[in-house]
Amino acid sequence: MSSNTAPSSSGGAGSADATSTRRHSKRPKYSRFTQQELPACKPILTPRWVISAFMLVSIVFIPIGVASLFASRDVVEIIDRYETDCIPTTNRTDKVRFIQSPGPKKCNRTLKVSKRMKQPIYVYYQLDNFYQNHRRYVKSRSDQQLKDPKSESDVDACKPEDMANGLPIVPCGLIAWSLFNDTYSFSRNKQQLTVNKKDISWKSDREHKFGKNVFPKNFQNGSLKGGATLNTSKPLSEQEDLIVWMRTAALPTFRKLYGKIEVDLEENDTIEVILDNNYNTYSFSGKKKLVLSTTSWIGGRNDFLGIAYLTVGGLCFFLAMAFTVVYLVKPRQLGDPSYLSWNRNPGGH
Amino acid sequence: MAGGKIRAKLRQSNLYTFCRKPKADETEAPRPIQGAGFTRTVYCNQPHFHQKKPYKYRSNYISTTKYNVITFLPKALFEQFRRVANVYFLLAAILSLTPVSPFSPVSMIAPLVFVVGLSMAKEAMEDWNRFLQDMKVNRRKVIVHKGDGVFDFRPWHKIRVGDVVKVEKDQFFPADLLLLSSSYEDGICYVETMNLDGETNLKVKRCLEVTSPMEDDGAFKDLTATIQCEDPNPNLYSFVGNLEYDRQVYPLEPNQILLRDSKLRNTAYVYGVVIFTGHDSKVMQNSTKSPSKRSGIERKMDHIIYILFTLLLGISMISSIGFAVKIKFSMPDSWYLRPDNTTDMYSPKKPALSGLIHLVTALILYGYLIPISLYVSIEVVKVLQASFINQDLLMYDEETGKPAEARTSNLNEELGQVDTILSDKTGTLTCNQMDFLKCSIAGTAYGVRSSEVELAAAKQMASDLEDRDDELANFPMRKHNAHVSWENGIGSEIELETVVTSNEDKDRKPAIKGFSFEDSRLMGGNWMNESSPDVISLFLRILAVCHTAIPEVNEETGSYTYEAESPDEAAFLVAARELGFEFCKRSQSGVFVRERYHHSGRPVEREYKILNLLEFTSKRKRMSVIVRDEDGQLLLMCKGADSIIFDRLSKNGRMYEEATTKHLNEYGEAGLRTLALAYRKLEESEYSAWSNEFQKAKTSIGADRDGMLERLADKMERDLILVGATAVEDKLQKGVPQCIDNLAQAGLKIWVLTGDKMETAINIGFACSLLRQGMKQICISTTNLDTLGQDSKETLCLFTNEQAVKDNILNQITNASQMIKLEKDPHAAFALIIDGKTLTYALEDDMKHLFLGLAVDCASVICCRVSPKQKALVTRLVKQGTGKTTLAIGDGANDVGMIQEADIGVGISGVEGMQAVMASDFAISQFRYLERLLVVHGHWCYKRIAQMVCYFFYKNIAFGLTLFYFEAFTGFSGQSIYDDWYMLSFNVILTSLPVISLGVFEQDVSSEVCLQFPALYQQGPRNLFFDWYRILGWMGNGVYCSLIIYFLNIIIFYDQAFRANGQTADMAAMGTTMFSCIVWAVNCQIALTMSHFTWIQHLFVWGSIAMWYLFLLIYGMLTPTWSKNAYQILVEALGPAPLFWSATLLVTIACNLPYIVHLAFQRSFNPMDHHIIQEIKYYKKDVQDQRMWKREASKARQETKIGFTARVDAKIRHLRGKLQKKHHTPVSTQGGMSPS
């Protein structure tokens, strides 16, 4: 319309300047980032890539699998389940009462070494059906209290094992209270085998989580006795059984390190075990096992890792082959436009 | 149907003071106004009466904000917690304060506060902008009567009912006013209502005769009057009221009402009294609350959330039942848990209660399935995406200096799924500027410039033919005989044309506005040397005389500009001026034309006495003037639609008919508006007899007066002699035809909804290639006289009752549907054209689905003369009827309704007001940017968001389910295997950045490819990336990963030592390993999902994995008070253990294996389009084989029936058909193949 063309005489030039500067300020600044033009690599899954990726995986995985399997097979393990055998036959009808009755419950076991075991030989106890990972159980501890004598009464989290006789328990909580208390001593040919119980726990635990000047106090003094008692003259940092025990296991079946035997055991050696069967797993029908095991670089004996590696490696090899066959039998030239949707079904967009 | 009309239906008597004085005999009795709905009383010039009840009306302050300072917090919070997910998170946060919660309260509350805070800040920002906009309007100044005849400025918001205001030229009316008087002595004024209804022509308002003498400020000193009128209502076209003035009562009509937001044009000033203020005004009554829009993906996401919530509930139930069972049967035996001394949470005596409490714990624990971070991430991603849209230089308009603006960021991905575009016309498709481009005089065509449509079509055709050449070269088998021959035939023709036009394109100078004509034969007075200079001068005289415009002298240059109601009339006058016939003065009785080229060599000023003006109506489609020139010769000059003029030619007036018709067809095809010009010499006696009769009819009173006048006019406009025809280009905005073509090829449907007349709309349809020759036009109309053959006889006047009209429309719709069904030609295209009046019926409940069915079958749909409300209704109909995504684009206030109604509203931030932009979700400055907005940004955003959401669900399922599996091993006690901080950092620092980079930077193909292959866009509307198949696939993948991660780790770390030093894995070691596996697996997964790696993606993905180890390291260095069992876990326990690393490797590979296989399989057997294109690009095949690339790019365009590609195709088909008829025998032996 003509009114648009009519210049607004006086302020014309000034406003034009103003608009041009305003324009400049509103103009987006160019950068490859804002224009989404950053250099990029755009890898695509070509058959060559697919096959070589699968091949690579199988080439890497199969040796790892074989190595792990060998390592696992190298591990010698002696497992002795004793929770039933260590109860006198007469008491087997009511195991719980037997275990709760006072007095020593010694039990002798004989282990046979099937294969030469090189030191260090790790001694484990294994419990079963024991929910160390139960939320109520896991939460029932006081890290402050374990570390610092000043936090002795910091026991809120420890319920119901927080106080006994009106005083805070050190160490408090269900975990500590239920400390495993079977003991083992080993002998070979009537010769005592020392079990080294030092350094069975994490160093960081000993040094930073369990105080050197925190001593057990008022422990197992409640109406209900749980597991082991602790030597009140030893600081917590030296109570390695407790430290190991306090590392709650992830699964209801777990092993915990008991100690190390630092001599080699020869094949066909017979090992006498004298054990104190104190711990009550009978209420919840949990098994108790004594395990002697060597280790390799993958740890204890577990074939699964090797098998899994071999399976995945094998699968990848198979896939590599399968895709090779597929690409040979039904090749698709890459970037072949005839595969575009409008060429495959013309008109049927 | 190429004919055009130039002006809206305006009552001549009201318009032109020089024709006839306003009727004095209009003494309609004032209607009694009382009762409900008519309670408003306005004391004119006495605003103090309106200070207290009951006459205290709303102030003129307008507010469109959602909140104010006080209501913001509660209202915004309420809005936030309408989201189900937020309520859930709130509940979880509240419960986290109780001991029931497995997590610390901070980890639950902080993210919620962040999410809600962010959204609320966004709301506040938007509302603040609205407030600023309102204030800008409220503070506008207007001149108000302050008393004693003194007028002064006052801001709009202080205007009260009863105030007398003075509005000057080109100002907006501050409220609804009653027009009292204007600068014209008979009290008329011109009003532009573009913002109200989108009509571009000016409207004339006329005051009551009694008030018209109040022409200066002083007249209002003692004015008192009372208005009784209707209550505020949204009806723009009606007004009922009485003015009581001087103890006399006068009836008021809509004609005296000036509506807020319309603009005074062509009139120096008007006085008016305020009737409706602020939100009472009609335009505000019309406005609707802007709805909050959500994208389709977001809605679907809700469904997924529901599914996940069900899953969550399911596993929580399983957990709590399991817990209850465990607690009842096995806990009493587990002495180490002290079952004898428990709270209700673990009470074996009340397993049901404990189970119930545990349900809450479980709901919080498994809350990772419903990621709160998803909302944060999506919010962040969308803001970043929006900033990319804002920053795009290719959507920045240098002329207006406006970049594109994503005003709401939550619809980005919806842009990639649009199915139907509903577009406004004026200001959106066109610039509302007419250019005189061509004419045909005495059977000779003048004007060498091509219209934009022609240029665009020629360009397209040329490149198309090139492609076809390629095709022929590459596929000789497909070659078919006719190809070659027509190829040569048209190919060269088109090439020539292209050469010509492209040369011209360059030197197209920014000429005189409205005049793009170029032809040396006519310009500079050369017409005098043409073969028939008499006819040419007559032609130009008709242009200069037969109109209703007013000239305006530019005082600086002395040149004339013209104030006409329609821009094309102005274009005629400019053309006449440029060619030497300058219309320079209009007096009461005549028109003065200065003729620059005269035999004498000097300019001559001639006067033409206007005796009669036979007005233009949409029914008549013509206008005429009867003039007496200086020689006393009586002439009737007539211009009108060609069909009308041709019917009225005399026998000897048909000399140029054939040639002119041919030219008219060409013009029509080129998208130009055409008018035919004719004249007739009148005998004095004949005229005087007719004139008497006409005068008598004019003064008669009666129902049939108009009919009589029309019959008389008809009697005069006969035996005309054809002079020629004009072709005016309704200037399209830059790039509009190409944009429409490309959008059509991307498979989008385009509807045009315009407030303009049908003819204008049809012309624009042609110009935009929405219509073309050979397309079957289905005009559904109540004034359907010549468009639909068989109905033409039943003229509308006969339809007095509604039902009959309705039946008729129903009939038309069913007939048309039938016709489409019976059509066998696959190339046949239909266009539906419907006008607003008809639409009112067609949109009624019983008919709308029929109508929609018909409309969907048509290639293009044009709705003309539609009101803003109807625009919104049509949009709603399409949205709800088809269930597809709709996009509405418009520039004016009249488009606000449809912009708000559509799934996506796009506003053109052009010259018009800001209302459309304020209501829109996206603002662009030119229509053509829509292509980039949709095809590039929309496509990207859609894929990004879709992939991102899918991945998010995958990742959280993979993570969340491991928690559940672990539960089964802890007696469902609610313990999690991971440290609290691991879990918190999972969504915050370990996986968020990669997924955000996926959502922000991912590009399946580059932007050029998006534009070259519009078919890729269809992946959005067909929702290939967010269908249930895909979503469930991703969820399945998540479940698979969770199983692999959990069980492999459990078995690997089962009970034996996990390192050579004999230590067994405790919960912390196992949890940390498992978590490492998750971090690796999900980050590798996202790397596989991405196809575009810039340094940012690399940094984020691999950085996230590195971050995990860094986190572990740092977390492990904190004192055990903080890190608990994670203290030094990496350094001391896990780092030296090969099992830790080998487990991570195994699990990561195993998790991603199925996806790689799926990907490789899909790529080799069922590649998607973007896969192929990626490959082509990867191997640089597009560079090596450019022909193939071009061919595919052209094939990627959708079969379309609109756009000029379709037009070219149709033309080629047409020519081919002709050629095949000629060549009965095949030229080559390769015949027999059917045309592709």
Side-chain angles (χ1 to χ4, degrees), chain A residues 1-5 22-23 26-28 30 33-36 38-46 49-50 54 57 61 64 122 124 126 129-131 133-139 143-144 147 160-161 174 177-178 202-204 208-209 224 226 247-253 255 257 279-280 283-284 295-302 304-305 308-309 312 315-316 319 323 326-327 330 332-337 339-344 349, chain B residues 99-101 265 326 333 335-338 341-342 345-346 361 388 390-393 396 398-399 401 403 513 561-563 937 940 944 966 969-971 973-975 1001 1003 1013 1015 1048 1050-1052 1054-1057 1059-1064 1066-1067 1070 1091-1094 1096 1098 1120-1121 1124-1125 1127-1128 1132-1133 1138-1139 1142 1145-1146 1149 1153 1157 1159-1161 1163-1167 1169 1172 1175-1176 1178-1179 1181 1188 1192 1195-1198:
Chain A
M1 298 243 167
S2 54
S3 59
N4 292 343
T5 52
R22 198 199 63 227
R23 262 175 218 177
K26 271 204 171 179
R27 187 174 206 278
Y30 175 83
F33 176 77
T34 57
Q35 302 308 308
Q36 309 190 52
L38 285 175
C41 72
K42 299 167 190 169
I44 56 166
L45 272 185
T46 62
W49 266 102
V50 172
F54 283 136
V57 170
F61 271 40
I64 296 181
Y122 296 96
Y124 301 94
Q126 176 168 350
N129 210 12
F130 190 104
Y131 285 92
N133 56 14
H134 198 279
R135 182 155 152 248
R136 179 173 162 85
Y137 188 83
V138 172
K139 295 233 179 304
D143 288 323
Q144 275 75 27
K147 198 180 159 200
E161 280 300 324
L174 288 173
W177 176 72
S178 60
W202 296 109
K203 189 164 160 256
S204 64
H208 298 282
K209 285 193 201 150
L224 207 62
R247 280 266 177 185
T248 51
L251 298 175
T253 304
R255 276 179 203 171
L257 200 50
Y279 204 66
N280 177 12
S283 313
F284 48 89
T295 57
S296 68
W297 59 271
I298 62 156
R301 186 180 180 109
N302 189 344
F304 180 78
L305 185 76
Y309 261 100
V312 174
L315 190 65
C316 284
L319 284 169
F323 273 103
V326 161
Y327 293 136
K330 210 184 157 214
R332 178 176 77 81
Q333 197 203 345
L334 285 179
D336 179 0
Y339 275 83
L340 289 164
S341 64
W342 45 91
N343 290 326
R344 278 199 282 182
H349 278 298
Chain B
V100 173
S101 163
R265 301 300 297 263
K326 275 269 179 191
D333 298 329
W335 57 269
Y336 54 91
L337 295 174
R338 287 295 299 268
N341 181 1
T342 60
M345 267 171 77
Y346 301 98
T361 311
F388 277 142
N390 296 344
Q391 302 266 321
D392 195 336
L393 276 171
Y396 169 74
E398 294 284 351
E399 273 165 47
K513 194 175 172 186
T561 51
Y562 302 102
E563 295 276 6
H937 289 281
W940 279 347
R944 287 166 179 176
F966 184 65
F969 289 82
T970 65
S973 63
Q975 177 61 37
F1001 303 112
Q1003 298 179 9
F1013 290 79
L1048 284 190
I1050 286 294
I1051 302 171
I1052 290 171
Y1054 183 53
D1055 59 0
Q1056 83 290 2
R1059 39 184 277 164
N1061 298 18
Q1063 291 95 337
T1064 52
D1066 65 332
M1067 210 152 84
M1070 206 184 268
S1091 56
H1092 182 89
F1093 286 89
T1094 65
I1096 301 171
H1098 280 303
T1121 326
K1124 304 212 167 98
N1125 281 341
Y1127 181 67
Q1128 297 208 341
E1132 190 185 20
L1139 200 65
S1142 54
L1145 177 65
L1146 176 74
I1149 298 287
L1153 212 55
V1157 172
L1159 222 68
F1161 228 76
R1163 276 203 176 249
S1164 54
F1165 290 117
N1166 199 16
D1169 292 341
I1172 305 278
E1175 287 164 7
I1176 294 177
Y1178 185 78
Y1179 288 111
K1181 280 196 176 180
M1188 177 277 292
E1192 293 310 325
K1195 275 204 222 159
R1197 300 174 185 280
Q1198 297 270 314

Side-chain angles (χ1 to χ4, degrees), chain B residues 298-367:
Chain B
E298 219 169 301
R299 283 195 295 269
K300 202 161 180 182
M301 215 168 81
D302 277 357
H303 291 285
I304 303 173
I305 297 272
Y306 293 140
I307 291 178
L308 286 181
F309 201 80
T310 320
L311 180 70
L312 171 66
L313 266 178
I315 61 175
S316 299
M317 295 287 262
I318 294 172
S319 279
S320 61
I321 290 168
F323 180 69
V325 169
K326 275 269 179 191
I327 222 165
K328 185 162 199 298
F329 297 107
S330 60
M331 186 160 156
D333 298 329
S334 306
W335 57 269
Y336 54 91
L337 295 174
R338 287 295 299 268
D340 55 308
N341 181 1
T342 60
T343 55
D344 282 344
M345 267 171 77
Y346 301 98
S347 170
K349 284 169 209 117
K350 302 179 208 160
L353 180 63
S354 300
L356 215 60
I357 296 172
H358 185 77
L359 184 66
V360 178
T361 311
L363 282 175
I364 300 173
L365 181 67
Y366 307 139

Side-chain angles (χ1 to χ4, degrees), chain B residues 453-454 457-458 461 464-465 468 486 490 493-494 497 665-670 772-775 827 1201 1203-1219:
Chain B
V453 182
E454 281 177 302
M461 218 188 289
D464 244 46
L465 285 171
R468 271 159 227 260
W486 63 256
I490 327 162
E493 214 172 276
I494 286 159
E497 198 179 334
N665 284 339
E666 283 167 12
Y667 298 157
E669 177 68 345
R772 62 180 146 81
Q773 223 74 45
M775 207 176 209
H827 297 296
K1201 288 175 174 171
F1204 50 70
T1205 312
R1207 186 188 283 192
V1208 172
D1209 285 345
K1211 197 161 189 173
I1212 288 169
R1213 265 199 308 280
H1214 176 70
L1215 285 167
R1216 186 190 291 165
K1218 261 191 188 168
L1219 277 160

Side-chain angles (χ1 to χ4, degrees), chain A residues 89-138:
Chain A
T89 15
T90 47
N91 290 327
R92 286 206 185 149
T93 46
D94 196 350
K95 299 172 194 159
V96 179
R97 205 168 87 208
F98 171 77
I99 203 78
Q100 280 172 345
S101 65
K105 301 172 195 74
K106 291 257 187 258
C107 173
N108 292 324
R109 307 290 295 169
T110 317
L111 307 175
K112 195 141 192 274
V113 179
S114 55
K115 218 172 148 193
R116 185 169 185 274
M117 292 172 92
K118 274 176 86 178
Q119 68 97 3
I121 296 152
Y122 296 96
V123 181
Y124 301 94
Y125 54 89
Q126 176 168 350
L127 298 182
D128 178 74
N129 210 12
F130 190 104
Y131 285 92
Q132 253 209 328
N133 56 14
H134 198 279
R135 182 155 152 248
R136 179 173 162 85
Y137 188 83
V138 172

Side-chain angles (χ1 to χ4, degrees), chain B residues 98-109:
Chain B
T98 67
V100 173
S101 163
F103 307 124
S104 59
V106 185
S107 63
M108 302 298 295
I109 295 170

Side-chain angles (χ1 to χ4, degrees), chain B residues 132-151:
Chain B
L132 290 183
Q133 186 75 19
D134 288 346
M135 283 319 286
K136 218 166 110 193
V137 172
N138 284 329
R139 293 221 176 108
R140 279 190 201 158
K141 292 286 197 322
V142 66
I143 308 167
V144 184
H145 183 220
K146 297 225 159 167
D148 288 337
V150 182
F151 279 70

